[in-house]
Amino acid sequence: MVFEQTGKIPMPVLEASIFRRPYYLSHFLPALLAPRVLPEVPDSRVAFIETLKRADKIPPSSYSAYRQACATAGDKQPDNTTSGQRTETNCAERPLGLLTAALEELRALMTDPTQYSVISAQVAVVSERLNAALGHRNDDDVSLRRSKIQLSVLLPTLQSQDQGVVDLLLTAFCQNLMAACSFVPPERQSSWAVLFVRTLCGHMLLPAVLTRLCQLLRHQGPNLSAPHVLGLAALAVHLGECRSTLPEVDPGVLAPPSSLCVPDFLNSLLTCHTRDSLLFCMKFCTAAISYCLCKFSAQPSASLHNCLSPGLIQKFQFIVLRLFPEARAPCSPEHTARIPWKLLYLPSADWPRAALSLWRWSSFQELLKEEEFHLTYRDWIQLELEIQPEADALSGTERHDFHQWAIYERYLPAPSAMGGCGGDLEAACTVLVSELMDFHQRSYNHSEDSDLVLGGRTGNEDLLSRLQEMAMDLELDQGSAVPRGCSTPESHFLFRVFRGRLQALARPGSMATSLRRQQELLICKRLLLRLPPSVLVGSPQAGQPVSPNCEEFFNLVTSGLRNICCHGSVLTYDLTIHFFRGLLNVCLRSQDPALVANRTLAECQTKCPMILTSALLWWSSLEPVLCSQWKKCYQSTLPQELQRLQEARKFASNFASDSAAPAPSPAWISAAALYFATREAGRENVTTHLKRLDCEREELLITLLFFSLMGLLSSYLTQRDTAEYQKAVDICAEVLACLERRKVSWLMLFQLAETDAKLGHLLLLAPDQHTRLLPLAFYSLLSCFSDGTTVREAAFLHVAVDMYLKLVQLFVDGETRIVLPQASRSISELQDSPVQLITKARSFLLQLIPQCPRQCFSNMTELLAGRGDCDPEVSNALQQRQQAGPSFDLSQEPHLF
């Protein structure tokens, strides 16, 4: 009767309509006021909850009286309070209490459609009280809009005062939304939410709001109640609506871009790592999309574009397809009039049903056809890689079934315009490999445990299995290793991906670029090991007894993998055995297996000699595998090139005995085998093991010194063992002594060029870092030059000066700096520091220069060009000696020490 006469709902009627509903009292208020409504934050949570309790004790009919009392109270307090309590209340609780009262009255007003006209005024009161609570002025907004908001996504923190105010505002927003939705759906509500969010965005409190949202959504999302999920989702929609007026957010190390708009930032907070985070992401996405479509039902497409990140809509698709098998099957869309919003805001929210209803809604399916909202194959892989299988909502079998369906039924046949692969299995493999490598780069850069092992704590193990299956299917479909669409067997999709990524990092740059290239190479290696060995070797054309094409793998080894070899001149055992397994598999498909093996290994000598040195190092483990497999398949002896490796290893093992056989050809293979055998011997046996060096060919001695130098540099770099370093020095000394006795020049090893017909291939066995550090090895062996035999060579001064200038440049560039291990007796006690080594080298040159004949200075001007400033004293000594007449008796040995 009253409503019919006045057209206005009296406050007592409003009170009865909202706060006396049984479901509201039994569900919403306990959920909103429970301690876990906004998760615990130290120092502010207790005061915040107490404030809410005090505010809720105020009857709705007394809001105006409470406001008036708060405004006129001043320093007056009830009689039962002490003076100290009055002071504390005035200073700490009064501003927050006034803000609470304004928020409570706003909630009462917005539930009454007849009071919508005064909502903006009440929001202004809230804004004023918010300023008083924060002590901020609105003119601070200018600086906020001109700068980015800096946040620490991994460790978001807030000040205690801001924490309490933000918690109060967020809780009020969620309470208001639930109260409003109990009367009318979002599209029929007033503009209270827009005005409320604009108030938040118009204060310097916005960074604190976003930080609190980061805490709630990223770190505590699964613990939020249903009313808070709905409220925060609606808040995200309205923040997105204001995106043009909001500053961008810099989330720190989480995202590759330097800054994100607010919708994209909020989307980045939603993770899909575990079952709990996956379910929370489903709830939040369902609530946000549903609210957005309901609130702006007149323009659904524009609202999704303007208010929400496309990534959020893609995550919703990913989760629905992943968690609900019924969503994967084609089904007739539901032609309902509106989104089933009631499924969400009722006390018993049915999230799965709401998500499926939204998915099946015909209008929503039409929206998903827009290109911006496509969940592409690449997007699906990126989201699937985040899943941690040990905490997944799906079992291993369910995850496998989902992967099979997604790859072979959804994305492989889908046209590329819709985000699929257009039926191209090779394209599907290429995208998967690229995303796997990107994922592991991100994991290495952002995780505390920078373990590069594929298939660790994250969900890539299953996707690696899918890659293996797809690679095998691709090989079977093509009938050979020739990729589809390629006229030659040279371009395997895997190596094309590797080549493109490594070329982007090939230019010399910062240390960060160099480290990232090393990470890329490690990932390349691990992916190669997880794929069939035929990828490394390829296969010959059917019916042709020719060698397989290994160019791609050879190029990868010589251009990249050799630079991450911990042993200096060899690959790791796992990659070595993988190559030889691939070679045996190819031989099985050839008409002449022995010919294929011989041609492939002969090609290795010139194009990829590191394959052969690796086989020599790991021969004790490799030989049983090769012999057993070959005899099992062919019932014959090993091919000639494998026998050559076998003989070289046998020669090296028996080298110390008097009945040792001559070194087999080629000499560099025998030298490599001899070096590995000597390195395995104890330090006290080095001299005994190398006593027969005087009987060997000069070429073997030169290449043996090369491998010895590589070993010396590896010991210097790794700093693992004092005994190993001293053994490396002893081996170099023994070889140098033999060369000195036989008057064989070895200086060419320090001036190697790839064009050198005899020794140029040795550069393919040396990591780039070892080649740059050759000056350090040269002057680490100064004591071996004391007899003067080599010093008297005309070319020695030129090499010594060149090595000295390069050594100084290495020091300037910081490449001689070694982080020494903490040990009681480290290698540093046996070797000189870089500064000491440069000092000794400089003294050596200054003594040597006056005693060298004038012809030794013929090319010194060209040598010093552009480098004379490295050491002006040495440069002046060289120039003066070059201009002076000969004053050195060649029959007299120089006195250098």
Side-chain angles (χ1 to χ4, degrees), residues 39-52:
E40 180 175 355
V41 175
D43 301 330
S44 64
R45 176 178 174 275
V46 175
F48 162 60
I49 296 299
E50 291 301 322
T51 302
L52 285 183

Side-chain angles (χ1 to χ4, degrees), residues 723-740:
E724 286 298 318
Y725 174 77
Q726 189 59 56
K727 185 195 297 183
V729 174
D730 292 344
I731 294 175
C732 290
E734 287 293 328
V735 179
L736 275 174
C738 179
L739 290 169
E740 294 284 352

Side-chain angles (χ1 to χ4, degrees), residues 653-883:
S653 300
N654 298 330
F655 185 75
S657 63
D658 296 333
S659 59
S665 298
W668 70 269
I669 290 182
S670 296
L674 180 58
Y675 170 73
F676 295 141
T678 306
R679 196 177 69 177
E680 293 172 1
R683 179 188 171 190
E684 64 280 0
N685 298 325
V686 167
T687 303
T688 304
H689 196 82
L690 297 178
K691 65 180 181 179
R692 296 183 61 253
L693 281 181
D694 291 331
C695 303
E696 296 301 329
R697 291 174 291 170
E698 293 182 2
E699 185 181 356
L700 185 144
L701 295 176
I702 294 296
T703 51
L704 178 59
L705 177 60
F706 172 83
F707 288 112
S708 302
L709 292 172
M710 294 300 104
L712 176 64
L713 291 172
S714 295
S715 299
Y716 182 89
L717 290 171
T718 57
Q719 300 279 312
R720 290 180 179 174
D721 191 344
T722 301
E724 286 298 318
Y725 174 77
Q726 189 59 56
K727 185 195 297 183
V729 174
D730 292 344
I731 294 175
C732 290
E734 287 293 328
V735 179
L736 275 174
C738 179
L739 290 169
E740 294 284 352
R741 288 193 299 270
R742 297 181 57 178
K743 296 181 172 53
V744 176
S745 178
W746 45 267
L747 296 174
M748 74 285 295
L749 291 178
F750 295 92
Q751 295 179 311
L752 281 177
E754 294 181 2
T755 55
D756 190 331
K758 291 184 177 181
L759 301 175
H761 65 280
L762 293 180
L763 290 176
L764 299 178
L765 291 165
D768 291 340
Q769 187 179 29
H770 286 55
T771 304
R772 291 194 301 270
L773 291 180
L774 276 175
L776 190 145
F778 182 90
Y779 280 105
S780 295
L781 300 174
L782 274 178
S783 59
C784 301
F785 306 154
S786 58
D787 62 357
T789 304
T790 303
V791 174
R792 286 193 297 268
E793 289 190 41
F796 182 82
L797 180 63
H798 187 278
V799 173
V801 172
D802 183 43
M803 290 294 101
Y804 174 73
L805 296 177
K806 289 180 178 179
L807 181 64
V808 173
Q809 190 61 47
L810 284 174
F811 179 77
V812 172
D813 295 340
E815 293 200 47
T816 58
R817 183 173 57 89
I818 301 297
V819 179
L820 298 174
Q822 298 298 323
S824 58
R825 186 169 182 266
S826 63
I827 296 178
S828 61
E829 299 174 7
L830 298 177
Q831 66 185 20
D832 295 320
S833 68
V835 175
Q836 292 173 330
L837 191 62
I838 291 176
T839 302
K840 287 186 177 182
R842 187 170 181 272
S843 176
F844 174 82
L845 279 180
L846 292 176
Q847 294 182 52
L848 174 65
I849 291 171
Q851 305 176 51
C852 289
R854 189 170 185 178
Q855 58 266 27
C856 295
F857 300 87
S858 57
N859 297 321
M860 203 58 65
T861 302
E862 294 80 359
L863 184 62
L864 294 176
R867 299 192 296 175
D869 294 339
C870 289
D871 191 326
E873 185 177 357
V874 171
S875 299
N876 290 335
L878 289 169
Q879 293 172 1
Q880 292 176 6
R881 183 66 188 87
Q882 183 178 7
Q883 298 170 2

